[in-house]
Amino acid sequence: MKRLILFSGGVESTALLLRRNDDDIVVTVEDTSPRADMSFHPGAVKNIAAALNVDVRMCQIFTPIPRPKKIWHYQLWMILPVVSLCVTKDPSICEVWYGVNASEYSGMYTADKKYTQLETAWNILHPGVPIVFPMVEMTKAEIWNTIPNHIRPLVRTCIKNTHPDKDINCGTCRKCLELKTLPGSCLYEAVGI
C-alpha cells in the first residue's frame, strides 16, 4: 500500500513525513510558469528531507499563460494534475496524502466551493485512490507538537516566498504569523516570545 505524500516544507507536510512508510513516494511540485506562486520553500524541502533521510521527487509544471497579478488560486488547482499523472503512471499508489489542519480544512469548504470541485473532480478521475488528510482533526499547534525539536527550525511556510533561493520569511503574512506562535520555529525566537 504505497501512498503519494505531497511535501512543501511547511508544518503539516513535514508532520506527514513522520507518518510515512518506506515505500511511500514523497513529491514536491514546482510551478515554473510566469508569475506563479511558490508553494514551497526549496531550502526547507532540501533540509527537512536530509534531516529525515527522505527521498523527495521534484516535479515541475509550466504553462505559458501568466497568472494575473491579483488572482489567487488554491495550490491544489496546480498540484492535482501532476498528482494525477503520478497516480496514472504508478498504479500501486493507493492514497494521496495532503497536509491540512482542522481550521484550514473547514475553511476550504466554507470560504468557497472551489475545493469541493477539486475533490469531486479527483474522485471522478481516480475513484480508487482517495485524497486523505491524516491530520484533519488536529490543530496546527497539535500538529507542530508531533515534529521533533531538531526539525522545527527547518520548517518554512511564508506565503510571500519572494526569495526562494534565500532563507527569508516576510514575517507578516498569515503563515509567518502562525510560525511566530510555534515554539522552536525559525520565527519564534526572533520575536522574543
Side-chain angles (χ1 to χ4, degrees):
M1 294 204 14
K2 187 186 304 183
R3 286 101 38 120
L4 188 144
I5 301 173
L6 295 167
F7 177 55
S8 68
V11 175
E12 288 80 10
S13 69
T14 298
L16 286 181
L17 293 189
L18 302 169
R19 296 174 174 217
R20 79 190 190 316
N21 294 327
D22 290 339
D23 62 341
D24 289 341
I25 299 169
V26 179
V27 172
T28 299
V29 179
E30 178 181 17
D31 186 355
T32 61
S33 307
R35 288 200 297 264
D37 292 324
M38 182 67 86
S39 61
F40 71 100
H41 191 286
V45 167
K46 177 182 172 187
N47 294 335
I48 294 166
L52 295 175
N53 196 28
V54 175
D55 178 38
V56 177
R57 298 180 187 185
M58 298 297 296
C59 297
Q60 289 186 333
I61 55 175
F62 175 85
T63 56
I65 302 168
R67 180 185 58 81
K69 289 183 181 179
K70 295 187 179 187
I71 301 295
W72 181 86
H73 63 274
Y74 190 62
Q75 68 181 356
L76 278 178
W77 280 108
M78 298 304 294
I79 293 173
L80 282 183
V82 174
V83 174
S84 180
L85 291 170
C86 293
V87 168
T88 300
K89 287 184 172 190
D90 187 345
S92 69
I93 295 171
C94 64
E95 292 178 343
V96 174
W97 278 18
Y98 185 74
V100 64
N101 64 57
S103 175
E104 290 171 335
Y105 186 76
S106 64
M108 287 189 288
Y109 280 101
T110 58
D112 59 42
K113 299 298 180 193
K114 290 183 179 176
Y115 184 78
T116 304
Q117 291 173 333
L118 288 171
E119 189 172 40
T120 300
W122 178 266
N123 289 332
I124 291 169
L125 287 171
H126 302 285
V129 185
I131 296 178
V132 178
F133 310 98
M135 300 169 296
V136 72
E137 302 295 328
M138 299 171 71
T139 66
K140 184 168 288 278
E142 289 170 334
I143 294 168
W144 182 254
N145 288 334
T146 69
I147 299 173
N149 290 338
H150 72 285
I151 302 296
R152 292 178 178 185
L154 305 176
V155 174
R156 299 292 182 270
T157 61
C158 184
I159 292 172
K160 300 176 183 177
N161 189 10
T162 56
H163 299 284
D165 55 332
K166 298 177 184 175
D167 192 8
I168 298 173
N169 292 280
C170 76
T172 59
C173 73
R174 71 176 173 82
K175 291 289 192 177
C176 283
L177 294 177
E178 287 174 347
L179 272 182
K180 287 181 179 183
T181 67
L182 300 174
S185 77
C186 62
L187 294 179
Y188 187 77
E189 293 180 356
V191 295
I193 295 176

